[in-house]
């Protein structure tokens, strides 16, 4: 057993389960290194998933520890014995002092006659000493349900000095008991790859929100959980966090309070200011979420760090003699506007929700000319490289610092499409990718800071290969990061074949030869996209609204970027299967019908069922987008035929017209047409036939619904359409009433014959009618038309409208464009 433990540091993560025998089943870890000391950690458990006591007796257990200059422990420099007490879940923290600076050590524990695996750790260069080189990784956001941590497997194989963890080490449940938090920490450490990373490198850690409760702010919970007082939950979360990680005694919590912000120096090469932006922050403004910033958002007394920590940070930056001044913290510091129009939508949980606090820091950095400031951030599960400015509204303002945001170890990014859609409004974002999980490696010398953005292809595959998606460099004395390589994988640029113009929001899908789909992504405002796949042969499919689709075979060679120049031709007017409308909410399948031309594309269900309209989706529009845009439509419930006037919060959910046949009448030429034939489910003997038609050079599809009374009695019913938009910033609009902001549906008589929906992507959807003989019934996130019709036996009524998707331009009113069609 001794011999095995001596070899641990040299073995890969795959052996971790064998190398962590009970009672050391959760492994070993080190952290918080300075130039002469480091913290060693372990926890004694015999049954890691036993939430109550880990299978340990309710007695203290003596634990011996050793630190040596070599992995064989021939040169032991320090040793001792501590007690693992049941009151602290049999966890062990040993602060080893008196170590030599700037060197590696090996350590191990022994309890009940069993040795732990051997861990490896190091001390920092002395304060003020010259240090030529530093190489570390930073990580965040490791949701257990997101996968088995292949990113940690790759990290554990790197040559690093230390690892910085920026928070969300665990993800909480509704149960806020100390037992539950201990269970979660133990569960996460059953990952052999996480244990391997801890055993190989010292960690410097800070927390974010999920170690307690999502989006909590100081003493304020985001909402109810299990009913216990929030500060009790916070105390339990802090206690379990301290117990399970290599933290110093100064970081031990006192109830719901703990001192987590501190400085770490790597000689005079770098000074790290490690922040805590959760414990002291003001409550999120305007109820949190992504909203237009108004009112209290700009209150200068609101804070992310608390006044004391903010003063501590600024004082440390002003006094620093380091070549690189690093702020290691949780959430994105750069501004990001999700609204491409003249308005603004920001994430109020990030620094965007605390702009005066951000300005105080960035203005201070600019005024005091802090040397080489670099901000490291996590939280948002995506890779970013941002220019930090004192004025984000002016793209020409001076860059004063660089921010690297690391993607998550395993947590998903459901907001990826919303970010990509907003990139055009945020030119200070130098790089963004939200398709992959991973981490960031930083390689630092006096002359330059290099950041390699690492990704794994599939976070749910423990053996997933890892790649560098991009590498950026910051030069000493020159704020701002610059791309220095193209990374591995496929780098494509999509342009208009006739004009050479870059095409944003074009979907690029990489499919293997067996038909599986590793990844789909969309081009950025420069028409570029990065997609990754293991070495092999693939088919690249390109799909953009207004353009003919293209397929291109490609061979990926490991270590060499594969560059594609894709030039698309403008689309002809067509209707048929085999294509989809690209977009984050797109739900149509290739078996559904798409009507498209060079300006717009609309999919109509030929079999796909939406769960909100189950049983009646066939024959109705699923997806819709204008050229240069992505689908953000949920669906259009077109038409309905109800015996009673629709009322209430679910009025849009009409299942009153069911189509039994959908067919293509004309595949193209001067017009492409599709017909859906069905009947009302609520009004007897009422046949409903809707014909869709699209013509060249028109940003709309016409839809004509003919209602025929096949019965022998007259029928009175309500008809119209409902429009639902699922993208960011969704709002409905009614002429004469503007943008509807109320969540309570109400009647809005229109002053012009249209209803509309819009989001944050400067794309407006509209239903334009022949007349205003209807009332609009709307809430902020949906709108419907309602008109009453009476048909005699054999009588018919025709409802005509145009289904439009258009760019709203820079107009303050995103619906003004509908009045021009």
């Amino acid at each position: 057993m001794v011999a095995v433990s001596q070899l641990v540091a040299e073995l890969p993560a795959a052996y971790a389960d064998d190398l962590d025998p009970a009672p050391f089943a959760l492994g070993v870890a080190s952290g918080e290194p300075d130039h002469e000391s480091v913290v060693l950690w372990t926890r004694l458990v015999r049954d890691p998933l036993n939430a109550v006591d880990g299978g340990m007796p309710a007695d203290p257990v003596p634990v011996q520890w050793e630190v040596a200059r070599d992995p064989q422990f021939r040169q032991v420099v320090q040793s001792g014995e501590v007690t693992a007490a049941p009151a602290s879940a049999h966890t062990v923290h040993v602060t080893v002092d008196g170590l030599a600076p700037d060197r590696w050590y090996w350590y191990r524990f022994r309890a009940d006659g069993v040795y732990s695996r051997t861990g490896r750790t190091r001390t920092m260069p002395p304060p003020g000493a010259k240090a030529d080189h530093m190489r570390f990784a930073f990580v965040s956001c490791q949701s257990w349900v997101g996968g088995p941590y292949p990113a940690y497997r790759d990290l554990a194989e790197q040559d690093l000095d230390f690892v910085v963890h920026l928070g969300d080490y665990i993800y909480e449940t509704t149960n806020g008991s100390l037992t539950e938090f201990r269970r979660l920490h133990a569960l996460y450490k059953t990952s052999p790859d996480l244990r391997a990373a801890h055993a190989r490198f010292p960690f410097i850690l800070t927390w974010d929100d999920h170690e307690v409760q999502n989006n909590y702010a100081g003493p304020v919970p985001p909402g109810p959980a299990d009913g216990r007082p929030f500060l009790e939950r916070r105390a339990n979360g802090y206690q379990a966090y301290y117990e399970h990680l290599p933290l110093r005694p100064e970081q031990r919590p006192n109830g719901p309070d703990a001192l987590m912000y501190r400085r770490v120096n790597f000689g005079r090469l770098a000074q790290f200011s490690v922040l805590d932006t959760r414990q002291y922050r003001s409550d999120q403004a305007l109820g949190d979420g992504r909203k237009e910033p108004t009112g209290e958002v700009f209150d200068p007394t609101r804070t992310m760090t608390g006044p004391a920590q903010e003063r501590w940070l600024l004082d440390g930056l002003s006094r620093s003699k380091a070549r690189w001044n690093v702020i290691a913290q949780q959430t994105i510091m750069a501004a990001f506007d999700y609204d491409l129009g003249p308005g603004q939508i920001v994430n109020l949980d990030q620094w965007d929700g605390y702009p005066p606090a951000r300005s105080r820091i960035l203005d201070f950095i600019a005024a005091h000319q802090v040397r080489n400031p670099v901000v490291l951030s996590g939280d948002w599960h995506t890779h970013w490289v941002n220019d930090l400015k004192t004025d984000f509204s002016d793209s020409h303002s001076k860059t004063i610092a660089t921010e690297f945001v690391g993607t998550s170890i395993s947590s998903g990014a459901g907001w990826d499409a919303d970010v990509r859609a907003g990139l055009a409004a945020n030119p200070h974002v130098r790089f963004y990718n939200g398709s992959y999980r991973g981490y960031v490696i930083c390689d630092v010398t006096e002359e330059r800071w290099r950041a390699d953005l690492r990704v794994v292809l599939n976070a749910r595959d423990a053996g997933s290969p890892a790649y560098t998606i991009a590498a950026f460099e910051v030069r000493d004395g020159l704020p701002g990061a610059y791309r220095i390589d193209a990374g591995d994988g496929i780098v494509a640029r999509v342009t208009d074949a006739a004009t050479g113009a870059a095409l944003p929001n074009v979907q690029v899908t990489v499919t293997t030869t067996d038909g599986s789909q590793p990844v789909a992504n969309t081009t950025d405002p420069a028409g570029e996209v990065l997609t990754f796949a293991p070495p092999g042969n693939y088919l690249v499919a390109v799909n953009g609204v207004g353009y003919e689709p293209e397929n291109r075979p490609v061979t990926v060679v490991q270590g060499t970027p594969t560059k594609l120049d894709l030039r698309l031709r403008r689309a002809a007017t067509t209707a048929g299967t085999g294509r989809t409308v690209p977009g984050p909410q797109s739900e149509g399948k290739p078996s559904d019908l798409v009507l498209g031309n060079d300006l717009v594309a609309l999919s109509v269900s030929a079999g796909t069922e939406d769960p909100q309209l189950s049983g009646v989706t066939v024959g109705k529009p699923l997806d819709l987008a204008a050229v240069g845009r992505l689908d953000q439509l949920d669906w259009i419930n077109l038409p309905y035929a109800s015996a009673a006037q629709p009322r209430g919060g679910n009025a849009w959910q009409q299942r009153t017209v069911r189509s039994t046949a959908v067919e293509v009448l004309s595949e193209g030429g001067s017009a492409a047409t599709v017909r859906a034939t069905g009947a009302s489910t609520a009004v007897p003997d009422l046949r409903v036939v809707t014909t869709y038609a699209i013509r060249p050079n028109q940003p709309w599809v016409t839809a004509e619904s003919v209602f025929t009374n096949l019965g022998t009695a007259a029928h009175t019913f309500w008809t119209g359409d409902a429009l639902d938009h699922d993208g960011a910033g969704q709002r409905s609009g009614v002429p004469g009433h503007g943008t509807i902001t109320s969540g309570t549906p109400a009647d809005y008589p229109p002053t012009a014959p249209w209803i509309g929906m819009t989001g944050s992507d400067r794309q407006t959807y509209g239903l334009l009618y022949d007349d205003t003989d209807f009332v609009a019934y709307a809430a902020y996130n949906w709108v419907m038309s309602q008109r009453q019709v009476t048909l005699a036996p054999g009588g018919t009524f025709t409802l005509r409208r145009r289904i439009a998707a258009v760019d709203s331009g820079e107009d303050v009113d995103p619906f003004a464009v509908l009045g021009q069609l």
Side-chain angles (χ1 to χ4, degrees):
M1 196 168 297
V2 173
V4 170
S5 69
Q6 291 171 348
L7 295 174
V8 169
E10 312 305 325
L11 293 177
Y15 295 89
D17 285 329
D18 296 333
L19 297 175
D20 292 312
F24 299 105
L26 299 184
V28 300
S30 70
E32 300 304 309
D34 63 18
H35 65 289
E36 60 184 1
S37 67
V38 69
V39 176
L40 309 181
W41 172 92
T42 192
R43 179 188 172 189
L44 306 184
V45 294
R46 295 195 174 277
D47 180 2
L49 300 184
N50 182 329
V52 177
D53 55 22
M56 294 295 293
D59 300 307
V61 179
V63 180
Q64 294 81 42
W65 58 271
E66 293 178 295
V67 177
R69 294 179 180 173
D70 64 301
Q72 292 76 32
F73 287 84
R74 288 190 286 261
Q75 302 178 61
V76 175
V77 295
Q78 289 197 46
S79 62
E81 181 176 293
V82 293
T83 299
S88 59
H90 289 98
T91 58
V92 171
H93 293 76
V94 178
T95 302
V96 184
D97 294 303
L99 299 174
D102 197 17
R103 70 163 299 153
W104 286 97
Y105 290 94
W106 285 259
Y107 64 94
R108 65 186 179 187
F109 298 93
R110 185 171 182 266
D112 295 336
V114 177
Y115 277 97
S116 72
R117 73 153 71 195
T118 295
R120 191 181 69 143
T121 192
R122 67 160 296 157
T123 53
M124 300 297 206
K130 179 179 174 59
D132 296 326
H133 185 224
M134 172 182 72
R135 196 167 193 264
F136 71 96
F138 70 90
V139 300
S140 65
C141 304
Q142 53 196 54
S143 172
W144 182 256
V145 299
Y149 299 164
Y152 269 129
R153 186 209 71 244
D154 182 67
L155 181 150
E157 296 169 353
Q158 302 295 328
D159 181 16
L160 306 172
D161 290 306
F162 54 91
V163 175
V164 177
H165 199 296
L166 297 176
D168 291 346
Y169 192 95
I170 63 165
Y171 279 65
E172 82 285 10
T173 65
T174 55
N175 185 346
S177 69
L178 178 57
T179 297
E180 175 66 0
F181 281 116
R182 285 172 170 171
R183 183 191 72 83
L184 288 169
H185 278 279
L187 174 66
Y188 279 51
K189 281 210 171 63
T190 60
S191 163
D193 296 312
L194 175 57
R195 297 200 308 272
H198 271 299
R200 187 163 169 77
F201 310 113
F203 272 54
I204 299 165
L205 302 114
T206 188
W207 50 41
D208 193 16
D209 52 347
H210 285 289
E211 288 86 355
V212 177
Q213 191 174 355
N214 182 41
N215 280 22
Y216 82 90
V220 182
D226 60 356
R228 74 181 68 240
F230 177 70
L231 289 182
E232 179 184 331
R233 165 183 274 265
R234 198 174 89 173
N236 292 337
Y238 286 6
Q239 175 69 20
Y241 184 86
Y242 176 81
E243 288 174 346
H244 288 82
L245 292 167
L247 300 171
R248 290 184 176 269
E250 299 92 317
Q251 295 162 285
R252 184 193 300 272
N254 179 14
D257 304 310
L259 183 61
M260 284 294 290
Y261 62 88
R262 70 263 191 215
R263 290 192 184 92
V264 179
N265 294 292
F266 195 92
R268 68 168 183 260
L269 181 62
Q271 174 182 281
F272 289 77
S273 297
V274 183
L275 303 189
D276 174 357
T277 63
R278 282 293 165 190
Q279 187 175 180
Y280 313 105
R281 71 156 68 188
S282 305
D283 192 14
Q284 291 91 346
L286 308 178
D288 204 357
R290 277 185 272 161
K291 298 174 183 174
E292 179 183 0
T294 59
E296 62 176 320
V297 171
F298 301 100
D299 181 350
T301 66
R302 298 180 67 255
T303 173
M304 280 279 273
T305 62
Q309 185 179 188
E310 183 177 302
R311 288 192 299 269
W312 168 89
L313 171 63
L314 300 183
D315 181 66
L317 293 174
S318 67
R319 295 173 181 269
S320 173
K321 303 298 183 184
R323 180 67 60 101
W324 299 92
N325 286 281
V326 187
I327 301 176
Q329 54 94 52
Q330 291 73 23
T331 64
I332 294 176
M333 184 171 283
F336 192 82
D337 181 7
Y338 286 83
D339 194 334
L340 295 185
Q344 188 180 26
I345 295 177
V346 302
N347 186 334
L348 296 170
D349 184 60
Q350 296 173 348
W351 285 88
D352 266 335
Y354 305 78
R358 175 175 60 198
S359 292
R360 288 192 294 269
I361 294 172
L362 296 181
D363 289 348
F364 183 94
I365 288 173
H368 289 76
Q369 298 183 341
V370 174
R371 188 168 189 176
N372 295 331
V374 175
V375 176
L376 307 180
S377 308
D379 179 58
W380 212 225
H381 308 179
T382 44
H383 274 315
W384 306 58
V385 179
N386 299 324
D387 287 340
L388 296 181
K389 301 171 178 288
T390 56
D391 183 2
F392 287 101
S393 65
D394 180 4
S395 62
H396 300 291
S397 65
K398 184 179 179 180
T399 297
I400 57 101
T402 296
E403 179 179 30
F404 295 107
V405 182
T407 190
S408 59
I409 288 289
S410 61
S411 306
W415 45 83
D416 172 42
D418 294 341
V419 175
R420 282 190 276 112
L423 287 172
N426 298 273
H428 54 276
V429 178
R430 305 295 296 274
F431 177 87
Y432 170 80
N433 186 277
S435 299
Y436 305 96
R437 315 284 67 83
Y439 65 100
V440 181
I441 295 175
C442 298
D443 192 284
V444 185
T445 68
E446 290 185 336
E447 292 76 28
R448 58 102 181 105
W449 179 300
R450 171 175 172 146
D452 284 39
L453 313 184
R454 297 286 288 173
V455 298
V456 293
L457 290 178
N458 183 359
R460 297 188 178 277
D461 177 6
S464 179
Y467 297 88
T468 296
I469 194 171
F472 281 79
E473 190 172 274
V474 181
R475 303 295 296 184
D476 174 36
L478 298 173
Y482 298 90
R483 185 81 176 269
I484 58 174
D485 81 339
D488 298 323
I490 299 170
V491 183
R493 187 164 189 268
V494 184
T495 57
D496 185 298
T499 67
L503 298 182
N505 294 321
V506 173
Q507 183 173 285
V508 178
T509 305
V510 178
T511 308
T512 59
T513 53
D514 65 3
S516 63
Q517 180 180 312
V519 68
N521 213 329
T522 52
T523 55
D524 63 17
E528 295 182 351
V529 66
L530 293 174
T531 301
F532 289 81
N537 297 317
Y538 297 90
L539 183 68
V540 176
V542 187
N543 182 18
V545 174
Y547 288 86
E548 296 292 345
E550 181 174 333
N551 296 316
R552 180 81 61 87
V554 65
T555 298
V556 174
V557 179
Q558 187 168 359
T560 302
T562 302
K563 297 186 178 181
L564 295 179
D565 182 12
L566 302 168
R567 303 177 185 183
L568 303 187
R569 295 176 292 108
R570 296 306 294 263
T573 300
T574 59
T577 60
R579 189 173 181 180
T580 60
V581 179
Q585 271 71 42
S586 180
E587 59 180 330
K589 298 178 177 60
S591 56
D592 295 314
L593 299 173
V594 171
L595 298 96
N597 61 13
D598 58 339
L599 295 177
V600 70
L602 172 77
S603 72
V604 174
S605 172
T608 296
E609 291 285 354
D610 185 285
Q612 293 180 317
L613 299 177
S614 58
V616 299
T617 313
V618 173
K620 296 179 179 179
L622 290 170
D623 310 313
L624 175 64
V627 62
R629 301 293 172 199
L630 298 168
D631 166 70
Q632 290 194 333
L633 185 75
D634 193 1
W635 38 252
I636 303 177
N637 193 349
L638 176 157
Y640 67 88
S642 173
Q645 184 177 14
R647 298 280 93 176
N650 292 324
W652 50 268
Q653 202 168 15
Q654 292 289 313
R655 293 187 173 92
T656 53
V657 169
R658 176 181 292 117
S659 294
T660 54
V662 182
E663 56 187 325
V664 177
L665 301 181
S666 171
E667 294 182 352
S670 60
T673 55
V674 169
R675 182 171 63 196
T677 303
S680 171
T681 63
V683 180
D685 304 318
L686 185 64
R687 184 177 65 189
V688 184
V689 178
T690 298
T691 303
Y692 301 92
I694 187 168
R695 294 174 174 81
N697 305 314
Q698 293 181 343
W700 57 71
V701 176
T702 61
E704 182 178 279
S705 297
V706 179
F707 302 83
T708 304
N709 184 355
L710 302 178
T712 58
H715 290 301
T716 298
F717 59 95
W718 290 84
T719 189
D721 314 295
L723 183 64
D724 187 30
H725 178 293
D726 267 1
Q730 55 190 357
R731 290 290 185 272
S732 62
V734 179
H737 306 276
T739 299
I740 308 302
T741 59
S742 173
T744 303
D747 287 330
Y748 298 95
T751 59
W754 57 263
I755 57 176
M757 289 292 303
T758 190
S760 62
D761 67 340
R762 218 173 67 186
Q763 180 175 218
T764 298
Y765 294 126
L767 293 176
L768 297 91
Y769 296 93
D770 285 357
D771 55 59
T772 57
D773 293 338
F774 65 91
V775 65
Y777 189 60
Y780 78 93
N781 60 334
W782 57 266
V783 60
M784 67 189 302
S785 58
Q786 298 182 356
R787 69 177 75 205
Q788 193 174 42
V789 174
T790 298
L791 286 183
T796 64
F797 169 75
T798 301
L799 179 62
R800 298 182 179 88
R801 63 290 221 201
R802 292 173 289 159
I803 307 170
V806 288
D807 189 322
S808 60
E810 300 294 338
D811 202 304
V812 174
D813 178 7
F815 297 106
V817 65
L818 295 180
Q820 302 166 12
L821 297 180

